[in-house]
Amino acid sequence: MKHLVRLVTALFAVGAILVIAVAGIGVYAWNNTVIDTTGKTVFDRPLAIPPLAASTFDEDGTRVFDLTMRQGTSDLGHGPGTRTWGIDGDHLGPTLRADRGERVRVNVTNRLGETSTLHWHGMHLPAVMDGGPHQRIEPDETWSPHWTIDQPAASLWYHPHLHGSTAEHVYRGLAGMFLIDDPDSAALPHEYGVDDIPLIVQDKKFDGDQLDTDGAMFTDVGVLGDEILVNGTPGPYLEVTGERTRLRLLNGSNARIYNFSFSTGLSFDLVGTDGGLLERPVTTRSVQLSPGERAEIVVAIPAGTDTVLRSTSPDLRADFWQTRFAGGDDRLDILELRAADTLTPSPPVPDRLTTFVDPGEPTNTRTFDLTSTRTINNREMDMERIDEVVVAGTTELWEVRNASGSVHNFHVHDVQFRVLSMTGLPDGHPSLAGRKDTVYVPPGATARLLLRFDDLPDDEPVDTSVPYMYHCHLLRHEDNGMMGQFTVVGPDETTLSGGSATAPGRGGHTHGG
Ligand code: C2O
Ligand code: CU
Ligand code: CU
């Protein structure tokens, strides 16, 4: 009997210690998860501006770019030996730039030593040229997609999309911007690298002097870094020389959501979103971007003053636990802007920036449930399955519901959509104003999207059996299968034909090299 009492007491003690230990780890993780670098960042490196990619012209007037994906080493603030991947360099890639209406071709050579792809995020183009998971570029091959640019001026971007490896390939540094110009866009500051500045914002975690690709213990969104790189530069500053500066913000991070504002409380004009200019500028003090989203802002920094672009705690509209472990309590310094004592005058931001084309009334509605099992409509991504078939030239309503407790966003290839409504946001909220290809969908919320599936220009080859993707752009979720495939077909091919995805084209011409 005595022994039994002792045994029970001992077991209780062990149990209590375990509970305390687990609670202790929880509290430790809780406290150590929150990151605040505001006011503590040393801005001692000039912001790198990605070079403009050189181009040549074919006999038929096609603008041709040549890009090479490769491995290298970079100084990201932890010495020169950090292993990184880049395009035409050791880390990140050059900015591609073309006019609306131009025909372009990009020869993408893969010298990574492993398979990858290169996707034109936000671009309206044939699926076979899209650079999604079916357009694999094997080591030492060149893939040459070509298309006619048929969409308004916008800040698009490019990154790999190899199914299961997108998070790693982007995190190691494969990303760059693709800017489309048109006359509307030229009314805003547009001297690249002077008063028109691309800002590729990415968070990184380091393990010694190497990139750490593990997610933190309690987070399910993927890696959340405690160091910020802008265009690959740690602790960056920018010398501002113009009265007004246009910043093209790209959230190129794997998982982190930013809520950008200026430390000095400056207001600015939000002039563009993912797919191009807004009809009218919106004056605001903050703009929130989830992974993959872009915003163009124009800010007037008073002469002779400094201000810091920072991210204050984003409003994830999730519960406190999700909020904390998805970076919702984090505060991060991004970039210091130092305005010269005398600034070159710039014209004011026009009241009217562009005119949207009326997408018309939707003729079909689809629903997409983002579920807690990391699926969409309870199906995991299957390269061999076409999930949805859309008729070219029609407008659809897509209702995207975050049916999980976690943080997700939703990205659709090929089109720019309008957000008709979003649970929790009042009509007319600035984040509903623009042409979008990626949208944050908080837990429990429903986003109602209006999508116009425009026909492609007549000169484009269209293989309607090749799918486009829709997916969560938190890259770990995407890699885990939170993705689906849709085709855009002619009016006579509306049925889901079995086997239509069995021989997906790779597009362009691929050859060894
Ligand atoms: Cu930014 Cu499907 O990608
Ligand atoms: Cu995309
Ligand atoms: Cu997700």
Side-chain angles (χ1 to χ4, degrees):
M1 187 66 200
K2 218 185 208 169
H3 289 299
L4 190 62
V5 169
R6 256 194 222 146
L7 183 65
V8 168
T9 313
L11 280 177
F12 266 111
V14 168
I17 287 165
L18 274 179
V19 167
I20 289 166
V22 168
I25 291 168
V27 168
Y28 176 84
W30 177 263
N31 290 327
N32 281 272
T33 296
V34 69
I35 299 167
D36 187 351
T37 65
T38 57
K40 293 170 221 153
T41 307
V42 183
F43 299 100
D44 57 357
R45 294 198 195 194
L47 174 73
I49 303 292
L52 287 171
S55 56
T56 56
F57 287 94
D58 257 6
E59 321 77 66
D60 68 348
T62 301
R63 185 189 284 275
V64 182
F65 298 96
D66 290 287
L67 301 179
T68 303
M69 310 162 94
R70 61 174 177 84
Q71 303 201 19
T73 52
S74 306
D75 181 353
L76 304 179
H78 294 261
T82 304
R83 286 188 296 279
T84 52
W85 292 8
I87 295 150
D88 289 0
D90 289 314
H91 188 229
L92 299 177
T95 299
L96 278 63
R97 195 153 196 175
D99 289 333
R100 180 174 194 175
E102 266 191 308
R103 252 188 95 66
V104 298
R105 189 171 73 238
V106 193
N107 301 317
V108 187
T109 301
N110 178 358
R111 302 271 181 227
L112 292 168
E114 59 182 271
T115 307
S116 193
T117 84
L118 208 57
H119 164 59
W120 319 105
H121 179 128
M123 197 75 76
H124 175 51
L125 78 183
V128 75
M129 307 298 174
D130 192 38
H134 296 282
Q135 288 87 47
R136 295 162 62 97
I137 319 173
E138 303 300 339
D140 296 323
E141 280 193 346
T142 299
W143 175 63
S144 300
H146 49 87
W147 68 95
T148 299
I149 294 190
D150 188 30
Q151 66 192 92
S155 303
L156 310 183
W157 68 301
Y158 59 87
H159 62 78
H161 216 300
L162 185 69
H163 188 44
S165 304
T166 298
E168 188 200 343
H169 289 201
V170 175
Y171 191 73
R172 293 198 184 281
L174 297 182
M177 287 193 121
F178 197 133
L179 309 183
I180 299 175
D181 297 308
D182 71 9
D184 288 340
S185 175
L188 295 165
H190 59 274
E191 212 183 319
Y192 184 78
V194 178
D195 61 7
D196 180 355
I197 312 286
L199 298 178
I200 304 172
V201 180
Q202 299 177 308
D203 59 331
K204 301 290 173 194
K205 219 170 123 208
F206 287 85
D207 180 3
D209 62 351
Q210 298 303 323
L211 289 170
D212 180 353
T213 51
D214 292 339
M217 192 171 6
F218 286 87
T219 183
D220 65 4
V221 295
V223 65
L224 286 171
D226 53 356
E227 296 181 34
I228 299 292
L229 303 178
V230 185
N231 302 339
T233 311
Y237 65 85
L238 175 72
E239 308 273 16
V240 170
T241 56
E243 208 177 7
R244 290 187 180 78
T245 306
R246 176 188 196 167
L247 302 175
R248 301 181 190 248
L249 287 160
L250 158 63
N251 181 349
S253 305
N254 282 37
R256 185 175 288 289
I257 298 168
Y258 300 88
N259 185 18
F260 294 103
S261 62
F262 291 97
S263 60
T264 47
L266 278 178
S267 64
F268 54 85
D269 284 325
L270 174 68
V271 294
T273 52
D274 304 338
L277 299 177
L278 299 178
E279 290 201 293
R280 298 175 182 286
V282 176
T283 304
T284 181
R285 284 179 207 281
S286 65
V287 60
Q288 185 163 315
L289 297 181
S290 69
E293 288 185 288
R294 288 86 67 210
E296 289 188 31
I297 68 173
V298 176
V299 60
I301 300 166
T305 70
D306 297 346
T307 189
V308 175
L309 177 69
R310 60 175 46 152
S311 174
T312 54
S313 316
D315 182 8
L316 304 185
R317 291 182 275 140
D319 68 32
F320 73 99
W321 183 265
Q322 283 294 328
T323 296
R324 165 78 38 128
F325 291 104
D329 293 326
D330 294 349
R331 296 161 48 82
L332 298 146
D333 277 343
I334 311 284
L335 168 74
E336 185 173 65
L337 297 114
R338 304 175 181 169
D341 290 336
T342 7
L343 299 172
T344 327
S346 359
V349 173
D351 298 333
R352 181 120 204 140
L353 296 165
T354 190
T355 306
F356 290 160
V357 177
D358 180 4
E361 290 302 312
T363 52
N364 191 23
T365 301
R366 297 174 204 263
T367 55
F368 298 87
D369 275 2
L370 313 178
T371 65
S372 45
T373 48
R374 300 276 174 278
T375 59
I376 299 179
N377 289 340
N378 292 310
R379 287 189 296 210
E380 196 180 299
M381 163 72 171
D382 180 347
M383 297 271 290
E384 304 302 320
R385 184 190 66 230
I386 302 296
D387 298 278
E388 309 289 338
V389 177
V390 173
V391 178
T394 64
T395 298
E396 298 206 349
L397 178 68
W398 286 19
E399 295 189 336
V400 182
R401 188 166 68 110
N402 184 343
S404 77
S406 354
V407 165
H408 301 294
N409 68 6
F410 193 74
H411 168 52
V412 186
H413 288 207
D414 185 44
V415 294
Q416 293 292 333
F417 51 76
R418 303 293 307 278
V419 185
L420 293 180
S421 69
M422 169 75 74
T423 314
L425 290 186
D427 290 349
H429 189 277
S431 64
L432 306 179
R435 303 173 85 247
K436 299 281 296 163
D437 56 51
T438 309
V439 64
Y440 177 60
V441 189
T446 298
R448 290 170 62 250
L449 313 179
L450 190 65
L451 310 89
R452 169 85 198 166
F453 293 88
D454 281 324
D455 285 306
L456 288 157
D458 285 341
D459 57 337
E460 292 305 335
V462 175
D463 178 346
T464 57
S465 70
V466 180
Y468 298 99
M469 306 293 135
Y470 54 83
H471 56 90
C472 177
H473 216 289
L474 274 67
L475 300 181
R476 175 180 286 184
H477 294 176
E478 174 187 339
D479 280 341
N480 287 350
M482 208 166 192
M483 177 153 65
Q485 311 197 92
F486 71 100
T487 52
V488 180
V489 303
D492 305 328
E493 332 165 49
T494 52
T495 49
L496 268 175
S497 50
S500 59
T502 50
R506 291 171 36 164
H509 307 282
T510 311
H511 54 82

